[in-house]
Amino acid sequence: MEVSFSREAQMLRRGHGESFHGEGILAITKALLQSGVTYVGGYQGAPVSHLLDVLVQSRAYLAELGVHVEACSNEASAAAMLGASIHYPVRGAVTWKSIVGTNVAADALSNLASPGVVGGALIIVGEDYGEGASVIQERTYAYALKSSLIMLDPRPELDHMVRLVEQGFALSEAASTPVMLQLRVRACHVRGGFPCKDNVAPAISALHLLEGPAEFDYAKLSHPPLTFRQEKLKSAERLPAARRFIVEQGLNEVFAGKRDGLGIIVQGGLHNSLVRALQQLGLADAFGTSELSLLVLNVTYPLAPDQIRDFCLGKRAVLIVEEGQPEFIEQEILALLRRSDVNTPVHGKDVLPMAGEYTVEILARGVADFLDKHTADISLADGRAWLARNAARRDTVAAQLGPALPARPPQFCIGCPERPVFAALKLAQQDIGPVHIAGDIGCHAFATFEPFSMGHSILGYGMSLASRAGVSPLIRQRTLAVMGDGGFWHNGLLTGVQSALFNGGDSVLVILKNGYTSATGTQDIISTPDDEVKERLVDKQESVVDRNRTIERTLAGIGVKWLRKVNSYSVEEMRRTFDDAFTTDFAGLKVIIAEGECQLERQRRVKPWRAALLKAGRRVVRVKYGVDEDVCSGDHSCIRLSGCPTLTLMKSSDPLKVDPVATVIDGCVGCGLCGENAHAATLCPSFYRGEVIHNPGVWDRLSATLRHAAIRLMQPA
Ligand code: SF4
Ligand code: SF4
């Protein structure tokens, strides 16, 4: 990846007597090293990408400690990596984005949880839930329940999160059970500090090798008949051991309030939002001290029944704050109180929404409704007025901006190599008719928005080709699957290509080969351009990304017979290739590789390179496209075929043109799509390609003077 984390990598070296300041996710990264972790792996994805990115860029330092780090090809391979802790007393941690990553890892997780571990195994899941989420909205908690995994949900405060990581490994070892550490987006990005400890070089590591493999132990295999015993061990020994550890080590926290008759049980990760809500209701001070008693569940599974019972006993009422559905924790608490014959009234989803993120406002409303039911002593007038003001302000803003501002869906970056492929596909469908398009996870999913609005389904990362398997036999036209190179290596090669070849699928696959796993933060993959190619591509819009042709050779090796490679930016050639693929007599799988480097990565290289040249006073040429206002007819067909944010509209200076004309603003990176589209779709000839020359030389100045003179001669006086 091109983003540099050198500052963060330096912070990982800090030790006793030093302090750490930064984001929660980086604190977790440091905590892993303080816990003596032996190996780390994972698959990137928001909100936990930083963890793996920083560790991958810190490989040299980790090697000094003997810690192995691996950028896994998907979450399943990351989960399987934890198998090292089944036999060997070594601590391991892996990370991914959930729920999607946990779905991919589920098989390995079950097979890890069944035999259990001797070395601490920690799975750091980025819970991508709520308004900023980019995945389906489900709870990872269900996996903890079904596989009897321990689940931590730490209160978002750096010192505390670091302690939970260290305790999480110890808990995993005490209960012989893998531990999931759930981090919401807010917890990953919360900022703060903590006093550092020295990093711990693991006793068994790449520097201190084992003499040989562990003894064969059938009990460590997740195999019947052993799985029957392992299932019993989970409930008879491992979970009770976990509960003992949780209580003895005080992993959950009780904050007694002066209004002790009313209590709130809250998931640790929601603590800060809850305290803020209580502040708005006048029930917490500026330091976060609550007037109501709080039981903060930093471990949300398993619950410690005695602790829950003790907290609820004698209270007038208890509110359970649990985000997402279904209400697993609330149901369990209700059942365990009933079994204990504790009759404290319990509220939860009756006053809080069943689904969606629990923002401060939503929590404040829920707590106020809860208090209304059980006390008249607390004045909620100020809090209710604050909620009403917020609602009124939102209505006012919506009324003012609603008609004026159209919705702005996310977009491909300026100059993205994937945009031209969808422009070509739009044109190709004028020739071949509409096709069923199986979409995938990745930047190319932006094509589901206008002006393309393409894609009938998205079934998972690398799943597009597999997801058309049931459609292809039912439909007259061939189907199209769209996949990125990230998705191809994550899953698509096996679940899609292998299956289509084996089953004789007559369909078309376009692989958008931009060289990186771009959507997750442009991490490197096996087909990422090497440094020499990057150097060569620094100021060229070349199509060759991977000199080794890794994807092409893999496809040929597995048996793909119809394979074409096209420069992504060549719209006309791409259109013809689509036409060929959909009309050829060849009945097997047809693969088109659309090759063009991720523009974001390219610009990260190009911009500093240009800046250095400019600073040195050297000549720099920047290509920029433009629209001749006099020629533009104002029909905007170029915009409908491109969607580039820098190709936009402006008011015409011609009083006879009532419609706005197209214009290219300064952000244009000169990718050439405007010219390609104009040519391929035979648009009006209003586009021009310009070169902006900084620090021009003598010849540049002379030729400009001659050009201007010639133009003046041809213009009427
Ligand atoms: S990150 Fe790269 S591939 Fe993704 S939209 Fe931007 S330029 Fe395109
Ligand atoms: S050439 Fe056109 S599509 Fe490419 S960056 Fe410039 S305005 Fe956008």
Side-chain angles (χ1 to χ4, degrees):
M1 74 220 66
E2 295 292 301
V3 179
S4 171
F5 292 102
S6 53
R7 198 182 130 266
E8 287 85 350
Q10 277 304 321
M11 294 215 299
L12 293 184
R13 290 179 176 266
R14 291 187 184 168
H16 178 72
E18 296 178 281
S19 61
F20 174 103
H21 290 275
E23 282 193 321
I25 189 63
L26 200 59
I28 299 279
T29 315
K30 172 78 171 94
L32 295 178
L33 301 182
Q34 293 184 179
S35 305
V37 73
T38 294
Y39 63 95
V40 187
Y43 193 82
Q44 65 278 345
V48 289
S49 284
H50 265 45
L51 192 156
L52 197 63
D53 290 348
V54 170
L55 287 178
V56 166
Q57 290 194 17
S58 306
R59 267 198 173 115
Y61 173 55
L62 297 189
E64 288 174 29
L65 293 172
V67 177
H68 174 72
V69 59
E70 190 141 332
C72 301
S73 56
N74 57 31
E75 296 85 353
S77 63
M81 203 178 165
L82 290 174
S85 296
I86 294 176
H87 278 281
Y88 304 101
V90 291
R91 291 182 166 182
V94 295
T95 187
W96 57 67
K97 173 195 192 89
S98 203
I99 186 74
V100 285
T102 313
N103 290 341
V104 175
D107 195 15
L109 279 183
S110 292
N111 284 286
L112 177 74
S114 197
V117 293
V118 290
L122 197 66
I123 303 144
I124 299 154
V125 292
E127 192 81 350
D128 197 20
Y129 186 87
E131 288 177 6
S134 59
V135 296
I136 30 182
Q137 298 293 278
E138 292 181 3
R139 297 182 64 184
T140 312
Y141 197 84
Y143 282 91
L145 288 183
K146 88 168 177 59
S147 298
S148 304
L149 297 161
I150 296 164
M151 184 143 223
L152 308 183
D153 189 353
R155 180 166 56 81
E157 193 258 307
L158 263 60
D159 205 8
H160 180 70
M161 289 159 77
V162 168
R163 174 175 165 251
L164 255 281
V165 170
E166 294 165 354
Q167 294 274 31
F169 280 113
L171 173 56
S172 174
E173 286 154 6
S176 309
T177 302
V179 169
M180 292 181 119
L181 179 107
Q182 178 190 29
L183 292 177
R184 291 177 177 75
V185 179
R186 288 168 205 262
C188 286
H189 300 307
V190 69
R191 297 188 72 85
F194 65 92
C196 295
K197 291 183 194 163
D198 290 336
N199 294 332
V200 176
I204 301 171
S205 72
L207 297 177
H208 304 286
L209 301 175
L210 293 160
E211 288 306 320
E215 292 287 315
F216 175 76
D217 183 354
Y218 191 61
K220 302 238 182 246
L221 294 165
S222 51
H223 237 201
L226 273 164
T227 44
F228 308 124
R229 179 169 177 271
Q230 288 165 356
E231 190 199 7
K232 287 182 179 149
L233 281 178
K234 284 180 179 176
S235 53
E237 292 184 15
R238 294 194 209 145
L239 289 178
R243 289 189 180 103
R244 276 195 303 278
F245 187 97
I246 292 162
V247 173
E248 285 165 11
Q249 299 299 319
L251 297 192
N252 294 327
E253 300 165 292
V254 176
F255 298 108
K258 67 180 181 196
R259 296 174 189 270
D260 197 33
L262 295 165
I264 301 179
I265 300 176
V266 59
Q267 290 169 299
L270 295 181
H271 171 269
N272 295 4
S273 302
L274 174 66
V275 166
R276 183 74 183 127
L278 291 171
Q279 283 173 352
Q280 296 300 333
L281 297 173
L283 290 168
D285 65 19
F287 301 99
T289 307
S290 165
E291 290 190 15
L292 306 183
S293 294
L294 304 182
L295 170 56
V296 180
L297 297 177
N298 295 305
V299 189
T300 49
Y301 188 81
L303 299 178
D306 291 350
Q307 191 174 54
I308 301 281
R309 193 198 54 219
D310 291 350
F311 182 78
C312 294
L313 204 59
K315 290 216 168 25
R316 240 184 306 159
V318 168
L319 171 68
I320 297 167
V321 175
E322 178 186 12
E323 192 176 57
Q325 63 176 334
E327 68 280 41
F328 293 114
I329 298 175
E330 186 178 335
Q331 287 178 20
E332 188 176 344
I333 289 178
L334 283 168
L336 73 87
L337 291 182
R338 181 72 193 87
R339 282 194 201 108
S340 314
D341 216 11
V342 175
N343 295 315
T344 307
V346 171
H347 296 270
K349 295 294 185 185
D350 56 337
V351 293
L352 285 160
M354 178 60 87
E357 184 178 347
Y358 281 4
T359 61
V360 171
E361 258 186 277
I362 284 173
L363 286 170
R365 201 170 295 121
V367 172
D369 289 350
F370 164 70
L371 293 174
D372 275 346
K373 290 180 191 292
H374 292 283
T375 179
D377 303 346
I378 300 173
S379 169
L380 298 170
D382 287 352
R384 292 276 190 203
W386 173 73
L387 287 167
R389 279 198 304 278
N390 287 347
R393 192 163 48 238
R394 204 170 287 120
D395 289 348
T396 309
V397 170
Q400 285 171 347
L401 296 184
L405 280 184
R408 292 180 61 192
Q411 264 282 359
F412 293 108
C413 298
I414 297 165
C416 172
E418 303 190 351
R419 181 179 285 111
V421 178
F422 292 97
L425 181 56
K426 206 168 186 178
L427 294 172
Q429 289 188 82
Q430 293 175 1
D431 308 328
I432 56 179
V435 293
H436 176 96
I437 300 170
D440 212 294
I441 304 287
C443 292
H444 40 86
F446 292 139
T448 55
F449 298 114
E450 289 180 353
F452 303 113
S453 303
M454 290 179 183
H456 289 86
S457 58
I458 297 179
L459 267 290
Y461 198 19
M463 297 290 182
S464 58
L465 189 57
S467 73
R468 60 80 244 171
V471 180
S472 292
L474 314 176
I475 199 161
R476 202 176 299 280
Q477 303 89 348
R478 286 173 179 152
T479 53
L480 175 71
V482 181
M483 195 184 290
D485 41 6
F488 176 81
W489 294 119
H490 178 272
N491 222 333
L493 170 62
L494 296 181
T495 54
V497 177
Q498 184 271 140
S499 184
L501 291 172
F502 182 64
N503 291 291
D506 179 3
S507 57
V508 183
L509 167 67
V510 59
I511 298 176
L512 301 164
K513 184 180 170 191
N514 63 36
Y516 309 84
T517 311
S518 297
T520 58
T522 61
Q523 288 82 7
D524 286 0
I525 44 180
I526 192 169
S527 46
T528 291
D530 55 36
D531 288 344
E532 202 182 314
V533 172
K534 286 181 188 170
E535 196 64 32
R536 196 160 47 78
L537 292 182
V538 74
D539 199 26
K540 298 187 188 71
Q541 205 75 60
E542 277 192 20
S543 68
V544 178
V545 169
D546 171 27
R547 263 196 319 196
N548 299 324
R549 302 171 57 249
T550 319
I551 294 178
E552 295 88 315
R553 288 191 297 134
T554 304
L555 289 170
I558 200 172
V560 172
K561 298 279 185 295
W562 196 104
L563 181 63
R564 305 277 186 279
K565 189 160 76 175
V566 184
N567 178 344
S568 296
Y569 293 98
S570 304
V571 175
E572 181 55 34
E573 191 187 348
M574 186 66 71
R575 175 190 191 164
R576 277 200 310 272
T577 311
F578 276 128
D579 287 352
D580 283 354
F582 278 92
T583 54
T584 175
D585 291 338
F586 181 79
L589 176 65
K590 291 152 280 289
V591 182
I592 303 167
I593 296 180
E595 190 166 31
E597 194 190 9
C598 166
Q599 190 67 243
L600 184 67
E601 276 302 286
R602 185 171 169 272
Q603 290 301 321
R604 281 176 179 157
R605 244 183 1 259
V606 169
K607 283 183 177 166
W609 174 74
R610 279 206 191 120
L613 290 181
L614 285 173
K615 198 170 168 199
R618 305 255 304 273
R619 179 179 184 270
V620 175
V621 181
R622 183 166 80 87
V623 173
K624 183 181 178 301
Y625 279 70
V627 177
D628 185 337
E629 186 193 340
D630 293 339
V631 182
C632 175
S633 65
D635 75 340
H636 313 146
S637 47
C638 55
I639 291 175
R640 286 192 293 276
L641 204 50
S642 162
C644 176
T646 52
L647 175 58
T648 181
L649 297 174
M650 72 170 189
K651 196 171 180 317
S652 173
S653 56
D654 181 346
L656 296 178
K657 287 187 180 175
V658 285
D659 289 328
V661 290
T663 186
V664 175
I665 56 176
D666 199 42
C668 170
V669 295
C671 77
L673 173 61
C674 285
E676 286 286 330
N677 274 349
H679 173 62
T682 334
L683 300 180
C684 70
S686 56
F687 282 94
Y688 62 84
R689 178 186 184 278
E691 290 186 348
V692 183
I693 303 176
H694 301 267
N695 302 323
V698 177
W699 174 244
D700 293 321
R701 290 176 194 280
L702 183 63
S703 56
T705 309
L706 291 173
R707 264 199 309 270
H708 284 135
I711 291 167
R712 267 198 305 276
L713 272 177
M714 287 186 279
Q715 281 178 333

